[in-house]
C-alpha cells in the first residue's frame, strides 16, 4: 500500500451521482467520472468542494494510483508533494499553453448513460430590461420595454432546486444582467451552492466594484457582445451611442484582471466587413471569439430581424474564413489522404441536431421554463406552479428528448450531416415548426462542404 495526500484543485467541482463521482475543472474543462465500484472510498473520506480540505488515503492498487496521478496531471486534484509544472490558476499569460495542453484531453473514466439525462446546465434570464436595442436580437423590443425580472427570492429558490438535482453550471443572461438590482446577491448564493457561473453581458454598466466581485467569485466565463472594431458599425447595431467605447474598455479590464472572457458576435450585413478585424483584436487580447453566421429569428414568431442576415456570397466568405482561422480544421483537412477522407470528418459545430434537453434547461424572466434560450414558443411550465425537477422529468420533456433525425423529412436523404448545424429552435422561430428545417441551414452546409473541398485541393 502507498499513502497519498491530495486536495481538490481550486477550480474543480465535484458531483456525487448514484453510480460514481463526476469531476470537472472550469479552467481547462477536463472532466472525470470515477465509478463507485472502484472509487467508492471517496464517499468515506467525505470528498466535497471544501478546497481547504486535505485528504489522506492508502492506495492499494496500481490502477488506482495511476488514475490519481492522471487526475493530478489533469489539474482535477493536487497531489501534495508532486511537482506542478504550471501554476494551476487561470491567467491570460498561460492561456495558450493551457489550451494546447488540454485541447483534446479525453474524459477520465467512463460515464454510464442513464435513461433520463442529468440536468447539468441551467440558463436563467434574470431580466428583460436592456440598455441596448440591438437590431438582430431574438428578444423583441416590446419584451424589453415591459422589463419583467425575476425576484432574488425566485432565483435563489430555482438555484437551490437545481443544486438539489446535482446541477453544475449556471448561465445568467437577459436583457442586461448588470441592470438586475440583486445580481451579486444571486451570484453569492451560487458560490455558496458551489455552482459554476457564466455571465452574458454587454458590460455597459460594469463598475470597478462589479469587476472586483466577479474576480472574487471565480466566474468561469464572461460572454460579452461586441459586434465590430468600428465604433460606428457597432453602435449602428446596438443603437446606443457610447456603447462601443464602454464595452471595449471593459473587455480589456476583464483581461487585465485575468477574468476569463469570450466575445460573442452575430454576423450580419452591417458588420460582416469587420469580422476579420474583430478576430484579430480578440487574438491580441487572448480572448476567444464566437461568430454566429446563421442568425435566429425573433422568439415571438416574427422574422423582422432576419432582414440583416448576410447573403450567400458573404456566407461563403465567412465559412472560408472560419476554416482558415481554425488550425484544427486546417489540420484535419491537411492530414486527410483522400478527398473522401476529408469529407468524412465533422465540420459542424453541433451534431447534426442538438440533443434537446440532454443536459440543459432555460428559465425566463417571468418564470416560464423553455428547453433552451429563445425557444419561447415551447413553454414547458412555470416555476410558480411546478418544480424544476418535475418539469425536467415531465412527459413533454421526454417527448422532446425523443426527437431524432428520422423525423426531419428534409434531412433523411441528405449527405451534408458533417457540415450542418441544424437547430430545432431556429426552425421553430423561423418557420413555426420544429421539423420544418430552415433553408439557410441547408445552404450553409452545402457552402461549407464546397469550402472544405476547395481547401483540400489547396493543401494537396
Amino acid at each position: 500500500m502507498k499513502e497519498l495526500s491530495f486536495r481538490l484543485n481550486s477550480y474543480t467541482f465535484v458531483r456525487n451521482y448514484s453510480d460514481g463521482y463526476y469531476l470537472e475543472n472550469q479552467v481547462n474543462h477536463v472532466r472525470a467520472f470515477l465509478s463507485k465500484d472502484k472509487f467508492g472510498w471517496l464517499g468515506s473520506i467525505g470528498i466535497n468542494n471544501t478546497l481547504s480540505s486535505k485528504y489522506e488515503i492508502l492506495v492499494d492498487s496500481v490502477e488506482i494510483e495511476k488514475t490519481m496521478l492522471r487526475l493530478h496531471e489533469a489539474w482535477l486534484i493536487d497531489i501534495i508533494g508532486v511537482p506542478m509544472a504550471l501554476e494551476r490558476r487561470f491567467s491570460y499569460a498561460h492561456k495558450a499553453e493551457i489550451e494546447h495542453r488540454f485541447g483534446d484531453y479525453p474524459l477520465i473514466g467512463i460515464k454510464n448513460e442513464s435513461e433520463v439525462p442529468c440536468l447539468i446546465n441551467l440558463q436563467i434570464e434574470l431580466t428583460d430590461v436592456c440598455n441596448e436595442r440591438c437590431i438582430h436580437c431574438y428578444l423583441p423590443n416590446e419584451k424589453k420595454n415591459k422589463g419583467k425580472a425575476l425576484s432574488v427570492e425566485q432565483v435563489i429558490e430555482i438555484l437551490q432546486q437545481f443544486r438539489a438535482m446535482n446541477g453544475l453550471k449556471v448561465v445568467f443572461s437577459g436583457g442586461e444582467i448588470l441592470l438586475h438590482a440583486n445580481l451579486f446577491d444571486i451570484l453569492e448564493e451560487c458560490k455558496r451552492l458551489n455552482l459554476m457561473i457564466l455571465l452574458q453581458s454587454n458590460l455597459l454598466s460594469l463598475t470597478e466594484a462589479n469587476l472586483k466581485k466577479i474576480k472574487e467569485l471565480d466566474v468561469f466565463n464572461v460572454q460579452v457582445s461586441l459586434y465590430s472594431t468600428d465604433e460606428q458599425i457597432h453602435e449602428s447595431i446596438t443603437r446606443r451611442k457610447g456603447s462601443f467605447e464602454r464595452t471595449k474598455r471593459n473587455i480589456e479590464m476583464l483581461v487585465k484582471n485575468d477574468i476569463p472572457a469570450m466575445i460573442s458576435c452575430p454576423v450580419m450585413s452591417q458588420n460582416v466587413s469587420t469580422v476579420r478585424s474583430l478576430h484579430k483584436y480578440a487574438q491580441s487580447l487572448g480572448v476567444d471569439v464566437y461568430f454566429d453566421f446563421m442568425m435566429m429569428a425573433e422568439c415571438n414568431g416574427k422574422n423582422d430581424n432576419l432582414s440583416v442576415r448576410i447573403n450567400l456570397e458573404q456566407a461563403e466568405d465567412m465559412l472560408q474564413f472560419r476554416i482558415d482561422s481554425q488550425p484544427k480544421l486546417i489540420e484535419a483537412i491537411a492530414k486527410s489522404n483522400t478527398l473522401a477522407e476529408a469529407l468524412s470528418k465533422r465540420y459542424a459545430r453541433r451534431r447534426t441536431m442538438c440533443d434537446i434537453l440532454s443536459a440543459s434547461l432555460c428559465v425566463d424572466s417571468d418564470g416560464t421554463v423553455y428547453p433552451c434560450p429563445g425557444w419561447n414558443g415551447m413553454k414547458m411550465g412555470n416555476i410558480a406552479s411546478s418544480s424544476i425537477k418535475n418539469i425536467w422529468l415531465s412527459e413533454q420533456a421526454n417527448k422532446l428528448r425523443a426527437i431524432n433525425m428520422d423525423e426531419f423529412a428534409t434531412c433523411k436523404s441528405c449527405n451534408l450531416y458533417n457540415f450542418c448545424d441544424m437547430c430545432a429552435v431556429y426552425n421553430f422561430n423561423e418557420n413555426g415548426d420544429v421539423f420544418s428545417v430552415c433553408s439557410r441551414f441547408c445552404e450553409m452546409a452545402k457552402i461549407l462542404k464546397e469550402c472544405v473541398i476547395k481547401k483540400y485541393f489547396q493543401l494537396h
Side-chain angles (χ1 to χ4, degrees):
M1 290 192 177
K2 183 176 181 179
E3 191 175 277
L4 187 149
S5 297
F6 71 94
R7 291 188 178 93
L8 289 175
N9 180 265
S10 59
Y11 288 113
T12 296
F13 289 73
V14 179
R15 293 295 181 265
N16 183 354
Y17 293 107
S18 60
D19 54 345
Y21 296 91
Y22 177 82
L23 289 75
E24 182 172 340
N25 185 294
Q26 72 172 27
V27 170
N28 59 17
H29 305 293
V30 174
R31 301 164 297 130
F33 189 82
L34 308 176
S35 63
K36 286 189 174 176
D37 60 342
K38 293 180 180 177
F39 289 87
W41 49 267
L42 287 171
S44 66
I45 66 172
I47 191 167
N48 54 45
N49 286 85
T50 306
L51 298 177
S52 59
S53 297
K54 182 173 77 172
Y55 305 101
E56 295 182 352
I57 62 169
L58 289 175
V59 178
D60 58 1
S61 78
V62 173
E63 181 184 358
I64 297 296
E65 182 181 2
K66 283 183 177 178
T67 300
M68 297 300 287
L69 289 170
R70 194 158 178 236
L71 294 173
H72 173 85
E73 177 193 354
W75 296 15
L76 291 168
I77 66 172
D78 297 332
I79 297 177
I80 297 166
V82 175
M84 301 181 190
L86 191 66
E87 183 186 2
R88 297 167 181 245
R89 294 190 62 80
F90 177 84
S91 71
Y92 282 94
H94 295 148
K95 183 172 180 286
E97 186 176 346
I98 292 168
E99 290 175 346
H100 177 73
R101 180 181 296 188
F102 296 109
D104 296 310
Y105 211 94
L107 173 73
I108 299 171
I110 300 173
K111 176 73 176 80
N112 297 323
E113 296 297 330
S114 58
E115 289 185 13
V116 178
C118 298
L119 177 59
I120 302 294
N121 312 303
L122 183 67
Q123 181 150 340
I124 302 177
E125 299 186 330
L126 289 176
T127 178
D128 294 334
V129 176
C130 191
N131 43 17
E132 294 181 334
R133 288 295 182 270
C134 298
I135 59 177
H136 65 283
C137 188
Y138 65 80
L139 292 177
N141 286 333
E142 54 264 30
K143 186 175 171 71
K144 297 171 190 171
N145 294 337
K146 290 177 182 177
K148 289 185 179 179
L150 291 165
S151 69
V152 63
E153 293 80 13
Q154 286 176 309
V155 180
I156 288 175
E157 174 62 25
I158 293 167
L159 292 172
Q160 291 174 344
Q161 290 183 31
F162 177 59
R163 183 64 182 87
M165 295 174 68
N166 262 331
L168 179 62
K169 304 173 187 177
V170 185
V171 179
F172 291 105
S173 61
E176 173 46 50
I177 59 170
L178 289 172
L179 299 179
H180 193 287
N182 300 107
L183 172 64
F184 288 94
D185 295 327
I186 290 166
L187 299 187
E188 288 281 7
E189 179 68 7
C190 287
K191 190 70 172 178
R192 190 187 72 78
L193 292 171
N194 192 235
L195 295 166
M196 287 190 196
I197 305 167
L198 186 147
L199 307 178
Q200 294 181 351
S201 172
N202 58 36
L203 298 186
L204 291 189
S205 302
L206 186 74
T207 65
E208 286 190 18
N210 296 158
L211 192 73
K212 182 179 178 182
K213 201 67 182 172
I214 290 170
K215 178 71 173 179
E216 289 173 356
L217 290 166
D218 277 334
V219 169
F220 87 91
N221 204 296
V222 182
Q223 186 174 314
V224 188
S225 302
L226 183 67
Y227 304 116
S228 178
T229 48
D230 183 292
E231 180 177 8
Q232 290 186 338
I233 291 175
H234 177 87
E235 294 180 3
S236 73
I237 293 169
T238 65
R239 291 187 285 199
R240 173 68 187 268
K241 190 165 180 60
S243 60
F244 172 77
E245 189 53 45
R246 288 162 70 182
T247 295
K248 181 173 175 288
R249 178 195 66 208
N250 287 330
I251 290 173
E252 292 168 9
M253 286 300 296
L254 293 178
V255 173
K256 183 179 179 180
N257 285 272
D258 274 335
I259 296 171
M262 179 177 76
I263 293 172
S264 177
C265 178
V267 178
M268 57 203 93
S269 55
Q270 281 78 356
N271 67 349
V272 65
S273 64
T274 60
V275 163
R276 287 174 173 82
S277 173
L278 183 57
H279 180 261
K280 187 175 181 180
Y281 170 70
Q283 282 187 314
S284 72
L285 295 177
V287 170
D288 295 327
V289 58
Y290 171 76
F291 294 108
D292 176 12
F293 303 126
M294 176 66 186
M295 190 76 64
M296 182 164 70
E298 292 181 40
C299 63
N300 58 1
K302 296 181 180 179
N303 292 345
D304 296 354
N305 65 331
L306 296 185
S307 63
V308 300
R309 182 181 269 174
I310 57 176
N311 61 39
L312 293 182
E313 184 179 351
Q314 291 167 328
E316 181 178 2
D317 180 47
M318 287 295 96
L319 291 174
Q320 193 66 60
F321 161 73
R322 186 188 149 208
I323 292 173
D324 291 337
S325 61
Q326 294 190 36
K328 285 186 179 180
L329 295 184
I330 295 290
E331 183 181 7
I333 298 170
K335 287 187 175 180
S336 299
N337 294 316
T338 64
L339 177 59
E341 182 184 347
L343 297 179
S344 70
K345 297 177 179 178
R346 191 181 113 191
Y347 299 92
R349 283 194 178 94
R350 303 184 182 98
R351 296 184 179 183
T352 47
M353 185 190 76
C354 290
D355 291 333
I356 301 170
L357 299 178
S358 63
S360 304
L361 205 60
C362 179
V363 183
D364 197 7
S365 56
D366 64 358
T368 304
V369 179
Y370 309 122
C372 63
W375 205 346
N376 296 37
M378 189 61 72
K379 294 178 172 62
M380 300 179 63
N382 193 289
I383 59 167
S385 55
S386 186
S387 68
I388 297 294
K389 184 175 182 179
N390 286 342
I391 293 171
W392 182 252
L393 299 176
S394 67
E395 183 180 351
Q396 182 185 6
N398 288 329
K399 285 182 178 178
L400 287 168
R401 284 188 194 102
I403 292 175
N404 61 66
M405 291 303 297
D406 292 338
E407 298 176 66
F408 293 82
T410 304
C411 305
K412 276 188 175 181
S413 59
C414 183
N415 64 352
L416 296 172
Y417 285 178
N418 293 348
F419 308 91
C420 185
D421 278 324
M422 191 268 285
C423 173
V425 61
Y426 279 69
N427 296 344
F428 188 91
N429 284 4
E430 190 165 335
N431 297 328
D433 181 0
V434 171
F435 303 107
S436 176
V437 178
C438 300
S439 59
R440 179 53 67 98
F441 280 125
C442 306
E443 294 163 346
M444 296 278 276
K446 184 179 179 182
I447 292 170
L448 181 55
K449 182 179 179 180
E450 291 169 352
C451 289
V452 170
I453 293 171
K454 180 180 177 181
K455 182 56 63 176
Y456 175 84
F457 285 113
Q458 286 177 353
L459 296 173
H460 290 80

